[in-house]
Amino acid sequence: MVHSVKVAFAAIVLALAAGVAPLVAAEFKVGGIVIEDPWTRATPAGAKVAAGFMAIRNTGSEPDRLVGGTLASAARVEVHEMIVVDGIMKMSELDKGIEIKPGETVTLKPGGLHIMFLDLSAPVEKGPLVGSLTFEKAGSVEIEYDVSPIGGGKPSSQHHGHHGAGSGTGAMPQGQAPAKTPQGGHHQH
Amino acid sequence: MLGRLRLALWIAAGLAVAAFAVLQLNEPRPGNSGNGLPGQALIGGPFELTAHTGERFDNKTRLAGRNHLVFFGFTHCPDICPTTLNEISEHLDKLGTAADGLEVLFITVDPERDTPQHLATYLSSFDKRITGLTGTTAQIASVLKLYRAFAEKVPTSSGDYTMNHTATVYLFDGAGSLRSTLTFQEPQGIRQGKIDRLVKG
């Protein structure tokens, strides 16, 4: 059974007035687990894999684990970690999932923890993309991924020109359409 | 008697020093033919692979006198490979036609899944000046060795596999000398500067 509680934010007006991007685009809740701003990237032509990112907060009193999920276009969804050590990119499947302790927030982001979509039957092109996440104790929850261009950063971030640590977490202009043409994703500021 | 022994020891010591000097001179110098700096690591060398166009790619003829970028990856890679390809496409975009003489080689570490056809489809999402290269498992292994790069298969629970691999981008000049490297943990402007310096000399 999939619970889905999407909390919409009326912060846009406030944000526009203040001249900044909305801080929170979307929240999804299941039990004490809160998932913030899930996002993924458009995939290059013929790509069979993609990665999903988000922040997961545990507002409950017990530790929980993200153990898996689903995506309509993916045959399998796994929990992975990528690290770069001495110039070598290492990928590993976390078969016990990711633990989120009470009161903690775990961020899945490029160059680190991610949800891995495998054996894609269709390319990731534009959002929102519906999927689900499964937690050991809280159960499953339906979520929606926002989609940024190929190689792009988190969709609603507004730090133009800033390139954070990690592998290419460059912020993309808000509202930019996902790359459909070969050069579509190449915008830097 | 003692004097003779001392003399013999001095001669032996002298011979040892001379022999050491000769060995030093005869030892092959590490480094490419490029700038001849001592201690330069030997990275790169002649290889033959298959391009994403299906054509045979002989780097000796294709790269002679041409600046080039080399990096390793695979298409079943969710994060660093498409990001690297996208970043490089952006760098080439910024250089415009100045980058036309630059060869950019994306060498797969997963030749089983990355056929020339699949590489061609995948690379259609990036700058057209990027050449995808694949080959037999043995060919890829020997190219990895030439570049002192690393790749290994990592099985996943579903019976599938992913790859660990060197994520560094190597920058070579037309003489085949390693000029610089890029990593995607460094700021975009630094990477652009390194490519600009290679291309514009």
Side-chain angles (χ1 to χ4, degrees), chain A residues 48-50 73-78 80 116-120, chain B residues 160:
Chain A
K48 289 285 171 201
V49 298
S73 56
R76 294 188 310 286
V77 173
E78 296 172 355
H80 280 218
M116 175 104 168
F117 308 125
L118 295 122
D119 227 340
L120 293 174
Chain B
D160 212 342

Side-chain angles (χ1 to χ4, degrees), chain A residues 16-37:
Chain A
L16 286 176
V20 296
L23 292 175
V24 179
E27 276 193 358
F28 304 89
K29 291 181 181 172
V30 58
I33 296 291
V34 181
I35 299 131
E36 289 174 5
D37 295 339

Side-chain angles (χ1 to χ4, degrees), chain B residues 53-117:
Chain B
T53 53
E55 292 166 326
R56 197 178 67 109
F57 186 99
D58 172 358
N59 76 334
K60 237 176 155 178
T61 48
R62 274 291 288 274
L63 302 180
R66 303 186 68 184
N67 295 320
H68 53 285
L69 268 57
V70 176
F71 61 105
F72 297 89
F74 65 119
T75 69
H76 282 67
C77 168
D79 190 356
I80 201 162
C81 311
T83 303
T84 301
L85 283 162
N86 185 57
E87 300 275 5
I88 287 177
S89 297
E90 284 168 358
H91 294 314
L92 295 175
D93 242 17
K94 280 212 170 131
L95 274 162
T97 52
D100 286 354
L102 183 71
E103 279 275 3
V104 182
L105 308 181
F106 171 65
I107 305 176
T108 184
V109 294
D110 185 13
E112 284 173 47
R113 293 186 291 202
D114 289 340
T115 59
Q117 295 84 347

Side-chain angles (χ1 to χ4, degrees), chain A residues 41 44-46 48-49 76 78 87-91 93 110-111 116 150 163 166-168 182-183 185-188, chain B residues 76-80 83 86-87 89-90 93 118 121-122 124-126 128 156-158 160 164-167 184:
Chain A
R41 294 171 173 139
K48 289 285 171 201
V49 298
R76 294 188 310 286
E78 296 172 355
I88 294 168
M89 187 280 289
K90 292 185 175 180
M91 185 71 84
E93 181 185 358
M116 175 104 168
I150 297 172
H163 248 68
S167 61
Q183 302 295 319
H186 316 145
H187 284 274
Q188 288 293 316
Chain B
H76 282 67
C77 168
D79 190 356
I80 201 162
T83 303
N86 185 57
E87 300 275 5
S89 297
E90 284 168 358
D93 242 17
H118 187 64
T121 306
Y122 194 80
S124 71
S125 294
F126 302 99
K128 296 289 173 286
T156 58
S157 61
S158 53
D160 212 342
N164 292 343
H165 64 89
T166 298
F184 285 84

Side-chain angles (χ1 to χ4, degrees), chain A residues 161-175:
Chain A
H162 169 75
H163 248 68
S167 61
T169 52
M172 301 304 294
Q174 194 192 4

